[in-house]
């Protein structure tokens, strides 16, 4: 497991102006619709209670209304309000044992609890499992989904390491943690989202047949060296090489006076820009669809962030694809950029033009 050495105060990150909205990506909407369908087919009967921890703008729960009783728990008031406007019951709060107790008194136990891209944001994951212990039906399931450490390592995707990602879990770490709370992982499904995530199906011990996938991943991680320091020393070297290659490329473009912009002011981009020392001299602006980010500057390196329209009216010669996890969606909708002679510059899994 990766863990930040310094854990920022969650209240400074998840608040009324939290700028991430799950619904900003079409593919993410489809992803959560597919998850809802899977749960309906296999784990839910009409009227069942579904709780989502970190429900953001309600993109997932929207798919379960009105056939199921739904409640989202979301500390970031901006996205939570958007869910409330769409009539998705949402409690604006952090999830912990105390919140769980309130929910238990108001709603009882849940058949399904989900948390996508959420557990890895919480400095005290044990409090989350205590809450799940209280709220989950005896035969209920928790479906957790988080960026997978294996994908970060294999793709040298060091940009997944940033303030909000307090943890990056391996299956080994997740398995160790759930066992401490009387749960077991009964199935696993790797996901394409966020550049490689893992979906964990968790139930109370000895309630379900364990899929062979679980042992397969545990064995794979042990074999690859997940528990050895040299494995991570190799990752560190690859990060340094990636940084050098990206900088070489951007310096070369600067020497040729070739214009460069960034595409999507992602959280990940903050790590890349600060780690590599890339400022407005190398990337003149970043375009982003989120109104709250437009007109501001990238944290630390102060590259101006402009709207999506600005990008379309001012095509650079090269666009650094910071939302590389949405590459397919973006390249499809921006096909005119390449037709106009533009090139994408990618840096995961290696630095290359496309
Ligand atoms: P995206 C966020 O990370 C933060 P980010 C968070 N901590 C997390 O864990 C994951 O998401 C779930 C823009 N964009 O999804 C919109 C475009 O401009 O890679 C957003 O600002 N055009 C919760 O930020 C940003 O990218 C587009 O076509 O690394 C989202 O980037 C698309 C698709 C996105 O997550």
């Amino acid at each position: 497991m990766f863990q930040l050495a310094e854990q920022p105060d969650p209240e400074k990150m998840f608040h009324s102006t939290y700028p991430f909205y799950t619904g900003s990506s079409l593919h993410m909407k489809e992803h959560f619709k597919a998850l809802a369908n899977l749960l309906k087919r296999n784990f839910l009967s009409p009227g069942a209670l579904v709780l989502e921890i970190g429900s953001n703008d309600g993109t997932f729960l929207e798919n379960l209304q009105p056939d199921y009783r739904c409640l989202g728990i979301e500390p970031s008031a901006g996205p939570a309000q958007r869910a409330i406007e769409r009539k998705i019951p949402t409690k604006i709060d952090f999830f912990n044992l105390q919140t769980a107790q309130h929910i238990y008194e108001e709603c009882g136990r849940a058949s399904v609890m989900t948390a996508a891209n959420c557990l890895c944001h919480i400095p005290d994951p044990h409090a989350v499992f205590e809450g799940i212990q209280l709220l989950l039906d005896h035969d209920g399931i928790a479906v957790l989904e988080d960026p997978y450490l294996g994908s970060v390592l294999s793709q040298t995707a060091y940009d997944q390491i940033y303030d909000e990602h307090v943890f990056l879990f391996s299956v080994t770490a997740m398995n160790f943690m759930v066992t401490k709370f009387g749960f077991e992982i009964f199935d696993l499904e790797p996901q394409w989202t966020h550049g490689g995530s893992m979906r964990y199906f968790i139930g109370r011990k000895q309630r379900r047949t364990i899929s062979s996938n679980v042992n397969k991943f545990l064995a794979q991680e042990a074999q690859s060296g997940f528990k050895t320091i040299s494995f991570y020393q190799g990752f560190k070297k690859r990060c340094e090489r990636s940084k050098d290659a990206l900088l070489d490329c951007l310096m070369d473009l600067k020497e040729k006076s070739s214009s460069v912009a960034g595409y999507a002011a992602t959280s990940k981009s903050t790590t890349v820009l600060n780690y590599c020392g890339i400022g407005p001299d190398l990337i003149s602006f970043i375009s982003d669809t989120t109104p709250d980010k437009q007109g501001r500057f990238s944290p630390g390196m102060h590259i101006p962030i402009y709207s999506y329209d600005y990008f379309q009216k001012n095509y650079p010669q090269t666009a650094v694809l910071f939302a590389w996890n949405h590459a397919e969606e973006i390249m499809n909708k921006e096909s005119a950029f390449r037709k106009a002679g533009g090139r994408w510059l990618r840096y995961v899994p290696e630095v290359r033009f496309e």
Side-chain angles (χ1 to χ4, degrees):
M1 186 183 75
F2 276 14
Q3 178 171 3
L4 294 187
E6 282 174 53
Q7 303 183 344
D9 177 0
E11 310 227 343
K12 287 194 175 156
M13 295 190 284
F14 308 109
H15 43 59
S16 59
T17 56
Y18 184 61
F20 179 79
Y21 288 78
T22 308
S24 67
S25 155
L26 202 66
H27 281 197
M28 289 307 285
K29 282 183 168 178
E30 285 163 7
H31 170 77
F32 285 116
K33 188 173 184 176
L35 172 61
N37 288 338
L38 180 148
L39 295 174
K40 284 185 207 173
R41 275 197 311 274
N42 301 303
F43 301 103
L44 284 171
S45 35
L49 177 65
V50 180
L51 299 176
E52 185 184 16
I53 309 171
S55 49
N56 196 270
D57 58 5
T59 296
F60 164 66
L61 287 179
E62 186 179 33
N63 299 295
L64 295 172
Q65 295 225 110
D67 298 339
Y68 306 91
R69 289 183 299 138
C70 296
L71 178 66
I73 303 105
E74 172 56 59
S76 308
Q81 282 301 351
R82 192 165 295 176
I84 292 167
E85 280 156 23
R86 287 151 68 211
K87 310 252 178 295
I88 298 159
T90 306
K91 198 177 177 59
I92 305 178
D93 213 340
F94 286 95
F95 184 83
N96 50 35
L97 189 53
Q98 202 187 4
T99 324
Q101 255 144 3
H102 289 148
I103 298 171
Y104 178 70
E105 281 154 25
E106 284 164 28
C107 313
R109 288 212 155 104
S111 303
V112 169
M113 292 182 71
T114 64
N117 304 303
C118 177
L119 189 70
C120 69
H121 293 71
I122 301 178
D124 182 6
H126 292 185
V128 175
F129 282 104
E130 282 164 6
I132 297 177
Q133 261 179 342
L134 175 69
L135 282 170
L136 199 63
D137 266 350
H138 202 52
D139 283 323
I141 65 156
V143 182
L144 306 181
E145 200 171 297
D146 280 294
Y148 175 49
L149 181 61
S151 307
V152 170
L153 298 170
S154 66
Q155 300 182 98
T156 319
Y158 65 86
D159 57 354
Q160 287 290 7
I161 304 168
Y162 55 81
D163 57 355
E164 292 176 21
H165 285 173
V166 180
F167 299 101
L168 289 171
F169 299 111
S170 59
V171 174
T172 310
M174 185 65 86
N175 190 49
F176 179 78
M177 183 160 55
V178 306
T179 310
K180 272 176 164 285
F181 291 90
F183 294 113
E184 58 193 6
I185 302 174
F186 65 88
D187 206 356
L188 288 172
E189 272 176 9
Q191 304 293 315
W192 64 270
T193 47
H194 293 288
S197 300
M198 189 62 79
R199 179 179 287 165
Y200 304 89
F201 292 86
I202 292 164
R204 295 193 194 273
K205 262 185 198 151
Q206 294 177 340
R207 306 298 300 171
R208 301 194 178 254
T209 316
I210 311 272
S211 148
S212 56
N213 267 344
V214 180
N215 275 334
K216 192 180 98 187
F217 270 95
L218 289 171
Q220 257 176 26
E221 289 185 358
Q223 252 171 21
S224 319
F226 270 60
K227 288 186 181 172
T228 62
I229 191 72
S230 58
F231 188 61
Y232 301 99
Q233 283 160 343
F235 172 68
K236 181 173 183 275
K237 283 213 178 78
R238 293 197 301 282
C239 292
E240 286 159 1
R241 278 202 292 269
S242 171
K243 171 185 179 173
D244 291 346
L246 183 59
L247 275 174
D248 282 354
C249 210
L250 292 173
M251 303 280 204
D252 187 47
L253 292 170
K254 188 183 172 183
E255 263 166 41
K256 291 176 179 149
S257 302
S258 185
S259 57
V260 183
Y263 195 95
T266 57
S267 303
K268 297 182 288 290
S269 68
T270 302
T271 295
V272 177
L273 298 171
N274 286 280
Y275 173 57
C276 300
I278 299 167
D281 56 321
L282 295 177
I283 294 184
S284 53
F285 70 91
I286 304 176
S287 78
D288 196 282
T289 50
T290 314
D292 282 349
K293 294 186 184 179
Q294 296 161 6
R296 300 189 179 213
F297 294 88
S298 72
M301 297 310 293
H302 303 166
I303 299 175
I305 300 170
Y306 299 148
S307 70
Y308 175 64
D309 282 8
Y310 186 88
F311 174 79
Q312 295 199 317
K313 289 183 191 136
N314 298 277
Y315 280 155
Q317 282 154 308
T318 300
V320 183
L321 187 58
F322 288 123
W324 53 268
N325 45 315
H326 300 290
E328 197 191 330
E329 176 175 345
I330 291 172
M331 290 195 184
N332 281 339
K333 77 175 172 192
E334 298 294 358
S335 55
F337 169 60
R338 263 212 296 225
K339 282 191 196 125
R343 290 189 303 174
W344 294 103
L345 176 56
R346 301 183 64 169
Y347 54 89
V348 173
E350 70 276 321
V351 175
R352 66 170 200 273
F353 285 100
E354 208 168 294

